[in-house]
Amino acid sequence: WGHQIPAWFATKKGETAVSKSDMKYNDRWVVARSEEGAYKKAAELLGCTQEELELERDSDVLDTWFSSGLFPFSVFGWPDNSEDMKAFYPTSLLETG
């Protein structure tokens, strides 16, 4: 388990010859903060309306080791350079297990 990767593979409805595992379609991946944002980016990328699209979210996740590294950012006010962020992150000790 972990944080789901915010990446979607975009196709137009009815496209059958496009595969996310085919390297020549790597430009079909869009990254966004939300599915709504992914639809907007994909529509622009493929030159169509959002209604003409099908998105498939990447089923992979960022592992818990990576996710645990996000903790300081979420509690110390990132992206703002808050007083807590200045005081506690980056730390001078790295505990890895």
Side-chain angles (χ1 to χ4, degrees):
W1 61 274
H3 290 87
Q4 192 171 8
I5 295 173
W8 289 263
F9 188 77
T11 57
K12 290 182 180 179
K13 290 181 179 173
E15 276 187 315
T16 57
V18 178
S19 170
K20 68 180 181 181
S21 60
D22 189 336
M23 294 294 286
K24 71 181 176 183
Y25 296 111
N26 268 355
D27 63 337
R28 297 286 189 105
W29 286 98
V30 293
V31 176
R33 291 182 178 261
S34 66
E35 187 174 31
E36 180 181 324
Y39 268 106
K40 288 178 184 177
K41 287 184 174 185
E44 185 177 320
L45 174 71
L46 297 180
C48 62
T49 66
Q50 293 182 30
E51 291 76 25
E52 297 173 278
L53 289 173
E54 289 184 354
L55 292 182
E56 181 182 348
R57 188 158 185 179
D58 190 342
S59 60
D60 207 355
V61 295
L62 301 171
D63 67 20
T64 55
W65 285 105
F66 178 85
S67 299
S68 65
L70 299 175
F71 177 77
F73 296 108
S74 63
V75 298
F76 293 144
W78 184 85
D80 299 326
N81 195 13
S82 68
E83 290 303 314
D84 285 340
M85 185 68 104
K86 290 178 195 173
F88 300 109
Y89 196 82
T91 63
S92 59
L93 174 67
L94 175 63
E95 177 65 40
T96 61

Coordinates of all heavy atoms in Angstrom, one line a residue:
W1 N 0.8 -1.2 0.0 CA 0.0 0.0 0.0 C 0.9 1.2 0.0 O 2.1 1.2 0.2 CB -1.0 0.0 1.2 CG -0.3 0.0 2.5 CD1 0.1 -1.1 3.2 CD2 0.0 1.1 3.3 NE1 0.7 -0.7 4.4 CE2 0.6 0.6 4.5 CE3 -0.2 2.4 3.2 CZ2 1.0 1.5 5.5 CZ3 0.2 3.3 4.2 CH2 0.8 2.8 5.3
G2 N 0.3 2.4 -0.3 CA 1.0 3.6 -0.3 C 0.2 4.7 -1.0 O -1.0 4.5 -1.2
H3 N 0.8 5.7 -1.4 CA 0.0 6.8 -2.1 C -0.1 6.4 -3.6 O 0.9 6.1 -4.2 CB 0.8 8.1 -2.0 CG 0.8 8.7 -0.7 ND1 1.7 8.4 0.3 CD2 -0.1 9.6 -0.1 CE1 1.4 9.1 1.4 NE2 0.4 9.8 1.2
Q4 N -1.3 6.5 -4.1 CA -1.5 6.1 -5.5 C -0.9 7.2 -6.4 O -1.0 8.4 -6.1 CB -3.0 6.0 -5.8 CG -3.3 5.4 -7.1 CD -4.8 5.1 -7.4 OE1 -5.6 5.5 -6.6 NE2 -5.1 4.4 -8.4
I5 N -0.2 6.8 -7.4 CA 0.5 7.7 -8.4 C -0.6 8.5 -9.1 O -1.5 7.9 -9.7 CB 1.4 6.9 -9.3 CG1 2.5 6.2 -8.5 CG2 2.0 7.7 -10.4 CD1 3.4 5.2 -9.2
P6 N -0.4 9.8 -9.2 CA -1.4 10.6 -9.9 C -1.2 10.7 -11.4 O -0.9 11.8 -12.0 CB -1.2 12.0 -9.2 CG 0.2 12.0 -8.9 CD 0.6 10.6 -8.5
A7 N -1.2 9.6 -12.1 CA -0.9 9.5 -13.5 C -2.0 8.7 -14.2 O -2.5 7.7 -13.7 CB 0.4 8.8 -13.8
W8 N -2.5 9.2 -15.3 CA -3.6 8.6 -16.1 C -3.1 8.4 -17.5 O -2.4 9.2 -18.1 CB -4.8 9.5 -16.1 CG -5.5 9.5 -14.8 CD1 -6.6 8.8 -14.4 CD2 -5.3 10.4 -13.7 NE1 -7.0 9.2 -13.2 CE2 -6.2 10.2 -12.7 CE3 -4.3 11.4 -13.4 CZ2 -6.2 10.8 -11.5 CZ3 -4.3 12.0 -12.2 CH2 -5.3 11.8 -11.3
F9 N -3.5 7.3 -18.1 CA -3.3 7.0 -19.5 C -4.5 7.4 -20.3 O -5.6 6.9 -20.0 CB -3.0 5.5 -19.8 CG -2.5 5.2 -21.2 CD1 -1.2 5.5 -21.5 CD2 -3.4 4.6 -22.1 CE1 -0.8 5.2 -22.8 CE2 -3.0 4.3 -23.4 CZ -1.7 4.7 -23.8
A10 N -4.3 8.2 -21.3 CA -5.4 8.8 -22.1 C -5.6 8.1 -23.4 O -4.6 8.0 -24.2 CB -5.2 10.3 -22.2
T11 N -6.9 7.8 -23.8 CA -7.2 7.4 -25.1 C -8.5 8.0 -25.5 O -9.3 8.5 -24.6 CB -7.4 5.8 -25.2 OG1 -8.4 5.4 -24.2 CG2 -6.1 5.1 -24.9
K12 N -8.8 8.1 -26.8 CA -10.1 8.5 -27.2 C -11.0 7.3 -27.2 O -10.6 6.2 -27.5 CB -10.0 9.1 -28.7 CG -9.3 10.4 -28.7 CD -9.2 10.9 -30.2 CE -8.5 12.3 -30.3 NZ -8.5 12.8 -31.6
K13 N -12.3 7.6 -26.9 CA -13.3 6.5 -26.9 C -13.3 5.8 -28.2 O -13.2 6.4 -29.3 CB -14.6 7.0 -26.5 CG -14.8 7.4 -25.1 CD -16.1 7.9 -24.8 CE -16.2 8.3 -23.3 NZ -17.4 9.0 -22.9
G14 N -13.2 4.5 -28.2 CA -13.2 3.7 -29.4 C -11.8 3.3 -30.0 O -11.7 2.5 -30.9
E15 N -10.8 4.0 -29.4 CA -9.4 3.6 -29.9 C -9.1 2.2 -29.3 O -9.1 2.0 -28.1 CB -8.4 4.6 -29.4 CG -8.2 5.8 -30.2 CD -7.1 6.7 -29.7 OE1 -7.0 7.0 -28.5 OE2 -6.4 7.2 -30.6
T16 N -8.8 1.3 -30.2 CA -8.5 0.0 -29.7 C -7.0 -0.4 -29.9 O -6.5 -1.3 -29.3 CB -9.4 -1.1 -30.4 OG1 -9.2 -0.9 -31.8 CG2 -10.8 -0.8 -30.1
A17 N -6.3 0.3 -30.8 CA -4.9 -0.1 -31.1 C -3.9 0.6 -30.2 O -2.7 0.4 -30.4 CB -4.6 0.2 -32.6
V18 N -4.4 1.3 -29.3 CA -3.5 2.1 -28.4 C -3.3 1.3 -27.1 O -4.3 1.0 -26.4 CB -4.0 3.5 -28.1 CG1 -3.1 4.2 -27.2 CG2 -4.2 4.3 -29.4
S19 N -2.0 1.0 -26.7 CA -1.8 0.2 -25.5 C -0.8 1.0 -24.6 O 0.2 1.5 -25.1 CB -1.2 -1.1 -25.9 OG -0.7 -1.7 -24.7
K20 N -1.2 1.1 -23.3 CA -0.3 1.8 -22.4 C 1.1 1.1 -22.2 O 2.0 1.7 -21.8 CB -1.0 2.0 -21.1 CG -1.2 0.7 -20.3 CD -1.9 1.1 -19.0 CE -2.1 -0.2 -18.2 NZ -2.8 0.1 -16.9
S21 N 1.1 -0.2 -22.6 CA 2.4 -0.9 -22.5 C 3.3 -0.8 -23.7 O 4.4 -1.2 -23.7 CB 2.2 -2.4 -22.2 OG 1.4 -3.0 -23.2
D22 N 2.8 -0.1 -24.8 CA 3.5 0.1 -26.0 C 4.3 1.5 -25.8 O 3.7 2.5 -25.7 CB 2.6 0.2 -27.2 CG 3.3 0.2 -28.5 OD1 4.5 0.7 -28.5 OD2 2.7 -0.2 -29.5
M23 N 5.6 1.4 -25.9 CA 6.4 2.6 -25.6 C 6.1 3.8 -26.6 O 6.3 4.9 -26.2 CB 7.9 2.2 -25.8 CG 8.4 1.3 -24.7 SD 8.4 2.0 -23.0 CE 9.8 3.1 -23.1
K24 N 5.6 3.5 -27.8 CA 5.4 4.6 -28.7 C 4.2 5.4 -28.3 O 4.0 6.5 -28.8 CB 5.2 4.1 -30.1 CG 3.9 3.3 -30.4 CD 3.9 2.9 -31.8 CE 2.6 2.0 -32.1 NZ 2.6 1.5 -33.5
Y25 N 3.4 5.0 -27.3 CA 2.3 5.8 -26.7 C 2.6 6.4 -25.3 O 1.7 6.8 -24.6 CB 1.0 4.9 -26.6 CG 0.6 4.5 -28.0 CD1 0.6 3.2 -28.4 CD2 0.1 5.4 -28.9 CE1 0.2 2.7 -29.6 CE2 -0.3 5.0 -30.2 CZ -0.3 3.7 -30.5 OH -0.7 3.3 -31.8
N26 N 3.9 6.4 -25.0 CA 4.2 7.0 -23.7 C 3.8 8.5 -23.5 O 3.6 8.9 -22.4 CB 5.7 6.9 -23.4 CG 6.1 5.6 -22.7 OD1 5.2 4.9 -22.3 ND2 7.4 5.4 -22.5
D27 N 3.6 9.2 -24.6 CA 3.2 10.6 -24.5 C 1.7 10.7 -24.1 O 1.2 11.8 -23.9 CB 3.5 11.3 -25.9 CG 2.7 10.7 -27.0 OD1 2.2 9.5 -27.0 OD2 2.5 11.4 -28.0
R28 N 1.0 9.6 -24.0 CA -0.4 9.6 -23.7 C -0.6 9.6 -22.1 O -1.7 9.8 -21.7 CB -1.1 8.3 -24.2 CG -1.1 8.2 -25.7 CD -2.2 9.2 -26.3 NE -2.4 8.9 -27.7 CZ -3.5 8.3 -28.2 NH1 -4.4 7.9 -27.4 NH2 -3.6 8.2 -29.5
W29 N 0.5 9.5 -21.4 CA 0.4 9.6 -19.9 C 0.3 11.1 -19.5 O 1.1 11.9 -20.0 CB 1.6 9.0 -19.2 CG 1.6 7.5 -19.3 CD1 2.3 6.7 -20.2 CD2 0.9 6.6 -18.4 NE1 2.0 5.4 -19.9 CE2 1.1 5.3 -18.8 CE3 0.0 6.8 -17.3 CZ2 0.6 4.2 -18.2 CZ3 -0.5 5.7 -16.7 CH2 -0.2 4.4 -17.2
V30 N -0.7 11.4 -18.6 CA -0.8 12.7 -18.1 C -0.7 12.6 -16.6 O -1.2 11.6 -16.0 CB -2.1 13.4 -18.5 CG1 -2.1 13.7 -20.0 CG2 -3.3 12.7 -18.1
V31 N -0.1 13.6 -16.0 CA 0.0 13.7 -14.5 C -0.7 14.9 -14.0 O -0.6 16.0 -14.6 CB 1.5 13.8 -14.1 CG1 1.6 13.9 -12.6 CG2 2.2 12.5 -14.6
A32 N -1.6 14.8 -13.0 CA -2.4 15.9 -12.5 C -2.7 15.6 -11.0 O -2.6 14.5 -10.6 CB -3.6 16.1 -13.3
R33 N -3.1 16.7 -10.3 CA -3.5 16.6 -8.9 C -4.8 15.9 -8.7 O -5.1 15.4 -7.7 CB -3.5 18.0 -8.3 CG -2.2 18.6 -8.1 CD -2.3 19.9 -7.4 NE -1.0 20.5 -7.3 CZ -0.3 20.5 -6.1 NH1 -0.8 19.8 -5.1 NH2 0.9 21.0 -6.1
S34 N -5.7 15.9 -9.8 CA -7.0 15.3 -9.7 C -7.4 14.7 -11.0 O -6.8 15.0 -12.0 CB -8.0 16.3 -9.3 OG -8.2 17.3 -10.3
E35 N -8.4 13.9 -11.0 CA -8.9 13.3 -12.2 C -9.4 14.4 -13.2 O -9.3 14.3 -14.4 CB -10.0 12.2 -11.9 CG -10.4 11.5 -13.2 CD -11.4 10.3 -12.8 OE1 -12.2 10.5 -11.9 OE2 -11.4 9.3 -13.6
E36 N -10.1 15.3 -12.6 CA -10.6 16.5 -13.4 C -9.5 17.2 -14.1 O -9.5 17.5 -15.3 CB -11.3 17.5 -12.5 CG -11.9 18.7 -13.2 CD -12.6 19.6 -12.2 OE1 -13.2 19.2 -11.3 OE2 -12.5 20.8 -12.5
G37 N -8.4 17.4 -13.4 CA -7.2 18.0 -14.0 C -6.6 17.2 -15.1 O -6.1 17.7 -16.1
A38 N -6.6 15.8 -14.9 CA -6.1 14.9 -15.9 C -6.9 15.0 -17.1 O -6.4 14.9 -18.2 CB -6.0 13.5 -15.3
Y39 N -8.3 15.1 -17.0 CA -9.1 15.2 -18.1 C -8.8 16.4 -18.9 O -8.8 16.4 -20.2 CB -10.6 15.2 -17.7 CG -11.2 13.8 -17.7 CD1 -11.5 13.1 -16.5 CD2 -11.5 13.1 -18.9 CE1 -12.0 11.9 -16.5 CE2 -12.1 11.8 -18.9 CZ -12.3 11.2 -17.7 OH -12.9 10.0 -17.7
K40 N -8.6 17.5 -18.3 CA -8.3 18.8 -19.0 C -7.0 18.7 -19.7 O -6.9 19.0 -20.9 CB -8.2 19.9 -18.0 CG -9.5 20.4 -17.4 CD -9.4 21.5 -16.4 CE -10.8 21.8 -15.8 NZ -10.6 22.8 -14.7
K41 N -6.0 18.1 -19.1 CA -4.7 17.9 -19.8 C -4.8 17.0 -20.9 O -4.2 17.2 -22.0 CB -3.6 17.5 -18.8 CG -3.1 18.5 -17.8 CD -2.0 18.0 -16.9 CE -1.5 19.0 -16.0 NZ -0.3 18.6 -15.3
A42 N -5.5 15.9 -20.8 CA -5.6 14.9 -21.8 C -6.4 15.4 -23.0 O -6.0 15.1 -24.2 CB -6.3 13.6 -21.3
A43 N -7.4 16.2 -22.7 CA -8.2 16.8 -23.8 C -7.3 17.7 -24.7 O -7.4 17.7 -25.9 CB -9.4 17.5 -23.3
E44 N -6.5 18.5 -24.0 CA -5.6 19.4 -24.7 C -4.5 18.6 -25.5 O -4.2 18.9 -26.6 CB -4.9 20.3 -23.7 CG -4.0 21.4 -24.4 CD -3.4 22.3 -23.3 OE1 -4.1 22.7 -22.4 OE2 -2.2 22.6 -23.5
L45 N -4.0 17.5 -24.9 CA -3.0 16.7 -25.5 C -3.5 16.0 -26.8 O -2.8 16.0 -27.8 CB -2.5 15.6 -24.5 CG -1.5 14.6 -25.0 CD1 -0.2 15.2 -25.3 CD2 -1.4 13.4 -24.1
L46 N -4.7 15.5 -26.7 CA -5.3 14.7 -27.8 C -6.1 15.5 -28.7 O -6.6 15.0 -29.7 CB -6.0 13.5 -27.3 CG -5.2 12.5 -26.5 CD1 -6.1 11.3 -26.0 CD2 -4.1 12.0 -27.3
G47 N -6.3 16.8 -28.4 CA -7.1 17.7 -29.3 C -8.6 17.3 -29.4 O -9.1 17.2 -30.5
C48 N -9.2 17.0 -28.3 CA -10.6 16.5 -28.3 C -11.3 17.1 -27.1 O -10.7 17.7 -26.2 CB -10.7 15.0 -28.4 SG -10.0 14.1 -27.0
T49 N -12.6 16.8 -26.9 CA -13.3 17.2 -25.7 C -13.1 16.1 -24.6 O -12.8 15.0 -24.9 CB -14.8 17.3 -26.0 OG1 -15.4 16.0 -26.4 CG2 -15.1 18.3 -27.2
Q50 N -13.5 16.5 -23.4 CA -13.3 15.6 -22.3 C -14.3 14.4 -22.5 O -14.0 13.3 -22.0 CB -13.6 16.3 -21.0 CG -12.5 17.3 -20.7 CD -12.6 18.0 -19.4 OE1 -13.2 17.5 -18.4 NE2 -12.2 19.3 -19.3
E51 N -15.4 14.7 -23.1 CA -16.4 13.6 -23.3 C -16.0 12.5 -24.2 O -16.5 11.4 -24.2 CB -17.8 14.2 -23.8 CG -18.5 15.1 -22.8 CD -17.9 16.5 -22.6 OE1 -17.2 17.0 -23.5 OE2 -18.0 17.0 -21.5
E52 N -15.0 12.9 -25.1 CA -14.4 11.9 -26.0 C -13.3 11.0 -25.5 O -12.8 10.2 -26.1 CB -13.9 12.6 -27.3 CG -15.0 13.4 -28.1 CD -14.4 14.2 -29.2 OE1 -13.9 15.3 -28.9 OE2 -14.4 13.7 -30.3
L53 N -13.0 11.3 -24.2 CA -11.8 10.6 -23.6 C -12.1 9.5 -22.7 O -13.2 9.4 -22.1 CB -11.0 11.6 -22.7 CG -10.3 12.8 -23.4 CD1 -9.8 13.7 -22.4 CD2 -9.1 12.2 -24.2
E54 N -11.2 8.6 -22.6 CA -11.2 7.6 -21.6 C -9.9 7.6 -20.8 O -8.8 7.7 -21.5 CB -11.4 6.2 -22.2 CG -12.8 5.9 -22.7 CD -13.0 4.5 -23.2 OE1 -12.0 3.7 -23.3 OE2 -14.1 4.2 -23.6
L55 N -9.9 7.7 -19.5 CA -8.7 7.7 -18.7 C -8.6 6.5 -17.9 O -9.6 6.0 -17.3 CB -8.7 9.0 -17.8 CG -8.6 10.3 -18.4 CD1 -8.5 11.4 -17.3 CD2 -7.3 10.4 -19.3
E56 N -7.4 5.9 -17.8 CA -7.1 4.8 -16.9 C -6.0 5.2 -15.9 O -4.9 5.5 -16.4 CB -6.7 3.6 -17.7 CG -6.5 2.4 -16.9 CD -6.0 1.2 -17.7 OE1 -6.1 1.2 -18.9 OE2 -5.6 0.2 -17.0
R57 N -6.3 5.2 -14.7 CA -5.3 5.6 -13.7 C -4.3 4.5 -13.5 O -4.6 3.3 -13.5 CB -6.0 5.9 -12.3 CG -5.0 6.5 -11.4 CD -5.7 7.3 -10.3 NE -4.7 8.0 -9.5 CZ -4.9 8.7 -8.4 NH1 -6.2 8.9 -8.1 NH2 -4.0 9.3 -7.7
D58 N -3.1 4.9 -13.3 CA -2.0 4.0 -13.0 C -2.3 3.2 -11.7 O -2.6 3.9 -10.7 CB -0.7 4.7 -12.9 CG 0.5 3.8 -12.8 OD1 0.4 2.6 -12.6 OD2 1.6 4.3 -13.1
S59 N -2.3 1.9 -11.7 CA -2.6 1.2 -10.6 C -1.5 1.0 -9.6 O -1.7 0.5 -8.4 CB -3.1 -0.2 -11.0 OG -2.0 -0.9 -11.6
D60 N -0.3 1.5 -9.9 CA 0.9 1.4 -9.1 C 0.8 2.4 -7.9 O 0.0 3.4 -8.0 CB 2.1 1.6 -9.9 CG 3.3 0.9 -9.2 OD1 3.2 0.4 -8.1 OD2 4.4 0.9 -9.9
V61 N 1.5 2.2 -6.9 CA 1.6 3.1 -5.7 C 3.0 3.5 -5.4 O 3.9 2.7 -5.7 CB 0.8 2.6 -4.5 CG1 -0.6 2.4 -4.7 CG2 1.5 1.3 -4.0
L62 N 3.2 4.6 -4.7 CA 4.5 4.9 -4.2 C 4.6 4.2 -2.9 O 3.7 4.2 -2.0 CB 4.6 6.4 -3.9 CG 4.4 7.3 -5.1 CD1 4.3 8.8 -4.7 CD2 5.5 7.1 -6.1
D63 N 5.7 3.4 -2.7 CA 5.8 2.5 -1.6 C 5.8 3.3 -0.2 O 6.0 4.5 -0.2 CB 7.0 1.6 -1.7 CG 8.3 2.3 -1.6 OD1 8.4 3.4 -1.1 OD2 9.3 1.7 -2.0
T64 N 5.7 2.6 0.8 CA 5.6 3.3 2.1 C 6.9 4.0 2.5 O 6.8 5.0 3.3 CB 5.2 2.3 3.2 OG1 6.1 1.2 3.2 CG2 3.8 1.8 3.0
W65 N 8.0 3.5 2.1 CA 9.3 4.2 2.4 C 9.2 5.6 1.8 O 9.6 6.6 2.4 CB 10.5 3.4 1.9 CG 10.8 2.2 2.7 CD1 10.5 0.9 2.4 CD2 11.4 2.2 4.0 NE1 10.9 0.1 3.5 CE2 11.5 0.9 4.4 CE3 11.9 3.2 4.9 CZ2 12.0 0.5 5.7 CZ3 12.4 2.9 6.1 CH2 12.5 1.5 6.5
F66 N 8.8 5.6 0.5 CA 8.7 6.9 -0.1 C 7.7 7.8 0.5 O 7.9 9.0 0.8 CB 8.4 6.8 -1.6 CG 8.3 8.1 -2.3 CD1 9.4 8.8 -2.8 CD2 7.0 8.7 -2.5 CE1 9.3 10.0 -3.5 CE2 6.9 10.0 -3.1 CZ 8.1 10.6 -3.6
S67 N 6.5 7.2 0.8 CA 5.4 7.9 1.4 C 5.8 8.5 2.7 O 5.4 9.6 3.1 CB 4.2 7.0 1.5 OG 3.8 6.6 0.3
S68 N 6.6 7.8 3.5 CA 6.9 8.3 4.8 C 7.8 9.5 4.7 O 7.8 10.4 5.6 CB 7.7 7.2 5.6 OG 8.9 6.9 5.0
G69 N 8.5 9.7 3.6 CA 9.3 10.8 3.4 C 8.5 12.1 3.1 O 9.0 13.2 3.2
L70 N 7.2 11.9 2.8 CA 6.4 13.0 2.5 C 5.8 13.6 3.8 O 5.3 14.7 3.8 CB 5.2 12.6 1.6 CG 5.5 12.1 0.2 CD1 4.3 11.6 -0.5 CD2 6.3 13.1 -0.6
F71 N 5.9 12.9 4.9 CA 5.3 13.3 6.2 C 5.7 14.7 6.6 O 4.9 15.6 6.9 CB 5.6 12.3 7.3 CG 5.1 12.7 8.6 CD1 3.8 12.6 8.9 CD2 6.0 13.3 9.6 CE1 3.3 13.0 10.2 CE2 5.5 13.6 10.8 CZ 4.2 13.5 11.1
P72 N 7.0 15.1 6.6 CA 7.4 16.4 7.1 C 6.8 17.5 6.2 O 6.4 18.6 6.7 CB 8.9 16.4 6.9 CG 9.3 15.0 6.8 CD 8.2 14.3 6.3
F73 N 6.6 17.2 4.9 CA 6.1 18.3 4.0 C 4.6 18.5 4.4 O 4.1 19.6 4.3 CB 6.2 17.9 2.6 CG 7.7 17.8 2.1 CD1 8.3 16.6 1.9 CD2 8.4 18.9 2.0 CE1 9.6 16.5 1.5 CE2 9.7 18.9 1.6 CZ 10.3 17.7 1.4
S74 N 3.9 17.4 4.7 CA 2.4 17.6 4.9 C 2.1 18.2 6.3 O 1.1 18.8 6.4 CB 1.7 16.2 4.8 OG 2.2 15.3 5.8
V75 N 3.0 18.1 7.3 CA 2.7 18.6 8.6 C 3.4 20.0 8.9 O 3.0 20.7 9.8 CB 3.1 17.6 9.7 CG1 2.2 16.4 9.6 CG2 4.6 17.3 9.8
F76 N 4.4 20.3 8.1 CA 5.1 21.5 8.3 C 4.8 22.7 7.4 O 5.5 23.7 7.3 CB 6.6 21.3 8.3 CG 7.1 20.4 9.4 CD1 8.2 19.6 9.2 CD2 6.6 20.5 10.7 CE1 8.7 18.7 10.2 CE2 7.1 19.7 11.7 CZ 8.1 18.8 11.5
G77 N 3.7 22.5 6.6 CA 3.2 23.7 5.9 C 3.7 23.8 4.5 O 3.6 24.9 3.8
W78 N 4.4 22.8 3.9 CA 4.9 22.9 2.6 C 3.8 23.2 1.6 O 2.7 22.6 1.8 CB 5.6 21.6 2.2 CG 6.3 21.6 0.9 CD1 7.5 22.1 0.6 CD2 5.7 21.2 -0.4 NE1 7.8 22.0 -0.8 CE2 6.7 21.4 -1.4 CE3 4.5 20.6 -0.8 CZ2 6.5 21.1 -2.7 CZ3 4.3 20.3 -2.1 CH2 5.3 20.5 -3.0
P79 N 3.9 24.0 0.6 CA 5.1 24.5 0.0 C 5.6 25.8 0.6 O 6.6 26.4 0.2 CB 4.7 24.7 -1.5 CG 3.3 25.1 -1.4 CD 2.7 24.3 -0.3
D80 N 4.9 26.3 1.6 CA 5.3 27.6 2.3 C 6.6 27.3 3.1 O 6.7 26.2 3.7 CB 4.2 28.1 3.2 CG 3.0 28.5 2.4 OD1 3.1 28.9 1.2 OD2 1.9 28.3 2.9
N81 N 7.5 28.2 3.2 CA 8.7 28.0 4.0 C 8.3 28.5 5.4 O 8.8 29.6 5.8 CB 9.8 28.8 3.4 CG 11.2 28.4 3.9 OD1 11.3 27.4 4.6 ND2 12.2 29.2 3.7
S82 N 7.5 27.7 6.1 CA 7.1 28.1 7.4 C 8.2 28.0 8.5 O 9.2 27.4 8.2 CB 5.9 27.1 7.8 OG 6.5 25.8 8.1
E83 N 7.9 28.6 9.6 CA 8.9 28.5 10.7 C 9.1 27.0 11.1 O 10.3 26.7 11.5 CB 8.4 29.3 11.9 CG 8.4 30.8 11.7 CD 9.8 31.3 11.3 OE1 10.8 31.0 11.9 OE2 9.9 32.1 10.3
D84 N 8.1 26.2 11.2 CA 8.3 24.8 11.5 C 9.1 24.1 10.5 O 10.0 23.3 10.8 CB 6.9 24.1 11.6 CG 6.2 24.4 12.9 OD1 6.8 24.9 13.8 OD2 4.9 24.2 12.9
M85 N 8.9 24.4 9.2 CA 9.7 23.8 8.2 C 11.2 24.2 8.3 O 12.1 23.3 8.2 CB 9.2 24.2 6.8 CG 9.9 23.5 5.6 SD 9.6 21.7 5.5 CE 8.5 21.7 4.2
K86 N 11.5 25.4 8.6 CA 12.8 25.9 8.8 C 13.5 25.2 10.0 O 14.6 24.9 10.0 CB 12.9 27.4 9.0 CG 12.6 28.2 7.8 CD 12.6 29.7 8.1 CE 11.9 30.5 7.0 NZ 11.8 31.9 7.4
A87 N 12.7 25.0 11.1 CA 13.2 24.5 12.3 C 13.4 23.0 12.3 O 14.4 22.5 12.9 CB 12.3 24.9 13.5
F88 N 12.6 22.3 11.7 CA 12.6 20.8 11.8 C 13.0 20.0 10.5 O 13.2 18.8 10.6 CB 11.3 20.3 12.3 CG 10.9 20.8 13.6 CD1 9.9 21.7 13.8 CD2 11.6 20.5 14.8 CE1 9.5 22.2 15.0 CE2 11.3 21.0 16.0 CZ 10.2 21.9 16.1
Y89 N 13.0 20.7 9.3 CA 13.3 20.0 8.1 C 14.1 20.8 7.2 O 13.8 22.0 7.0 CB 12.0 19.6 7.4 CG 12.2 18.5 6.4 CD1 12.2 17.2 6.7 CD2 12.3 18.9 5.0 CE1 12.4 16.2 5.8 CE2 12.4 17.9 4.1 CZ 12.5 16.6 4.5 OH 12.7 15.6 3.5
P90 N 15.2 20.4 6.6 CA 15.7 19.0 6.7 C 16.3 18.7 8.1 O 16.8 19.7 8.7 CB 16.7 18.9 5.6 CG 17.2 20.2 5.4 CD 16.0 21.2 5.7
T91 N 16.3 17.5 8.5 CA 16.8 17.1 9.8 C 18.3 16.8 9.6 O 18.8 16.7 8.5 CB 16.1 15.9 10.4 OG1 16.3 14.8 9.5 CG2 14.6 16.2 10.5
S92 N 19.0 16.6 10.7 CA 20.4 16.3 10.7 C 20.6 14.8 11.0 O 21.7 14.3 11.1 CB 21.2 17.1 11.7 OG 20.7 16.9 13.0
L93 N 19.5 14.0 11.1 CA 19.6 12.6 11.4 C 18.7 11.9 10.5 O 17.5 12.3 10.3 CB 19.1 12.3 12.9 CG 19.0 10.9 13.3 CD1 20.4 10.2 13.3 CD2 18.3 10.7 14.6
L94 N 19.2 10.8 9.8 CA 18.4 10.0 8.9 C 18.2 8.6 9.5 O 19.2 7.9 9.7 CB 19.0 10.0 7.5 CG 18.4 9.1 6.5 CD1 16.9 9.6 6.2 CD2 19.2 9.0 5.2
E95 N 17.0 8.2 9.8 CA 16.7 6.9 10.3 C 16.0 6.1 9.2 O 15.0 6.5 8.7 CB 15.8 7.0 11.6 CG 15.4 5.6 12.1 CD 16.6 4.8 12.7 OE1 17.5 5.4 13.3 OE2 16.6 3.6 12.4
T96 N 16.6 5.0 8.8 CA 16.1 4.3 7.6 C 15.5 2.9 8.0 O 15.0 2.2 7.1 CB 17.1 4.1 6.6 OG1 18.2 3.3 7.1 CG2 17.6 5.4 6.0
G97 N 15.5 2.5 9.2 CA 14.8 1.3 9.5 C 15.4 0.6 10.8 O 16.2 1.1 11.5

